[in-house]
Amino acid sequence: MGNDFCHLHCHSTYSLLDGIIKVADLPGRVKDLGMSACALTDHGNLHGMLDFYKECKKGGIKPIIGIECYITVDPDGVDEDYKKTRDNHHCILIAQSNEGLSNLFWLLTNGNLNNFYYKPRINIETLKTRSNGLICTSACVGGLVAQQGTFDSEKKVFLDPEAKAYRAAKDLQEVFGNKFYLEIQDQDMWEQTAFNKFLLDLSKKEKIPLVITADAHYLKEEDKGTHAMIMAQQLKKTIHEYESGSEMKYGGGFYI
């Protein structure tokens, strides 16, 4: 019997200074593990899509096309006087059909042309007009849902006192219906463990389905050190500074 698990949250080298998975290596790794399909969800771009599609087809793996996009409350096309918000919260969008793929193209293009602020962003109201053919997940602890609450480092719990995280999840559920999933991950990070508990309770309460991902940024477990070097480079830190700090720190489990 094959492995029914499918990676739906993966970052290649096209997630610049963040992912280190080479597109050409991904299908082979997936196949070696007995899986039959895999998604590519790079940060804010589809640059690796064509190579990924070709490599998957060549390797007998079903390619699933998606992105990890950036969601903002800032409207599209504002002038220079508008005080922009650097929210840029993560959200996974996966093409379910040709219409969905076309909507991904449109949303990314619009984000680059009309709502670029550090990243190409998607306004939540704009997303509502281009949601057909797309599947959405709540992404990681940097996601739209997670960032509406508070991570209490002393008690190691996720708090949602004003129900903003709950509201964000319900908003996405209203947009995508049963194609919206709460994304849980098995990572060596107290923040993720605490957020998982919140999502499990929310799933039971609101009947929002769950999906488990690895949020893979490197191919194999032994590649963690190399990934740390890339992250240190991105943050302009030494390896020691990165590994002893807390900024954008990755725990274990971020691999295929």
Side-chain angles (χ1 to χ4, degrees):
M1 179 179 291
N3 186 346
D4 289 336
F5 180 81
C6 171
H7 279 280
L8 293 175
H9 188 162
C10 296
H11 295 279
S12 75
T13 52
Y14 287 100
S15 289
L16 301 179
L17 293 182
D18 193 6
I20 63 170
I21 299 174
K22 295 179 180 178
V23 169
D25 295 339
L26 185 53
R29 173 67 173 162
V30 167
K31 194 168 187 177
D32 288 345
L33 293 170
M35 303 172 192
S36 59
C38 185
L40 185 66
T41 55
D42 281 314
H43 285 298
N45 75 78
L46 287 165
H47 302 332
M49 181 192 73
L50 188 57
D51 285 344
F52 174 68
Y53 181 86
K54 289 179 177 178
E55 293 292 340
C56 282
K57 286 296 186 180
K58 186 168 62 178
I61 297 296
K62 179 180 180 180
I64 300 171
I65 308 300
I67 57 170
E68 183 162 23
C69 66
Y70 302 96
I71 301 295
T72 181
V73 296
D74 289 346
D76 295 333
V78 295
D79 59 32
E80 294 180 358
D81 294 330
Y82 182 88
K83 188 176 181 180
K84 295 181 180 179
T85 306
R86 194 175 176 180
D87 38 10
N88 299 8
H89 299 320
H90 298 179
C91 188
I92 296 291
L93 298 176
I94 293 173
Q96 188 182 26
S97 62
N98 285 336
E99 182 183 13
L101 186 60
S102 178
N103 280 331
L104 274 188
F105 291 154
W106 189 95
L107 288 166
L108 275 177
T109 301
N110 185 70
N112 276 284
L113 293 176
N114 298 313
N115 210 329
F116 193 98
Y117 188 58
Y118 291 91
K119 307 286 185 180
R121 307 179 304 167
I122 299 174
N123 172 264
I124 187 68
E125 295 301 320
T126 302
L127 180 61
K128 293 177 182 179
T129 69
R130 293 280 176 165
S131 62
N132 287 348
L134 294 175
I135 293 169
C136 177
T137 79
S138 58
C140 53
V141 293
L144 177 64
V145 176
Q147 290 300 303
Q148 304 308 308
T150 303
F151 290 91
D152 187 326
S153 58
E154 185 175 332
K155 297 180 180 179
K156 291 184 168 48
V157 294
F158 176 81
L159 303 174
D160 188 27
E162 299 179 18
K164 290 183 179 179
Y166 167 83
R167 187 65 256 167
K170 290 295 291 180
D171 285 346
L172 289 172
Q173 185 185 35
E174 289 175 11
V175 175
F176 292 96
N178 61 5
K179 294 188 293 181
F180 171 61
Y181 293 81
L182 299 173
E183 183 176 337
I184 58 175
Q185 301 173 11
D186 183 18
Q187 311 293 10
D188 183 22
M189 299 166 56
W190 73 262
E191 296 93 340
Q192 186 65 59
T193 302
F195 188 49
N196 284 348
K197 184 179 185 303
F198 170 80
L199 293 179
L200 288 167
D201 292 341
L202 180 59
S203 174
K204 292 176 183 177
K205 180 180 178 181
E206 297 298 327
K207 301 296 188 293
I208 304 175
L210 294 165
V211 63
I212 187 166
T213 77
D215 191 3
H217 283 69
Y218 44 99
L219 201 64
K220 299 179 180 179
E221 186 174 11
E222 56 264 35
D223 296 330
K224 182 179 178 180
T226 305
H227 181 253
M229 290 177 62
I230 292 294
M231 292 303 299
Q233 183 179 359
Q234 177 191 156
L235 298 170
K236 299 180 181 179
K237 297 178 181 290
T238 66
I239 288 292
H240 175 72
E241 287 171 341
Y242 171 71
E243 293 185 338
S244 60
S246 59
E247 186 181 4
M248 294 182 70
K249 190 71 177 293
Y250 283 82
F254 290 86
Y255 60 94
I256 301 295

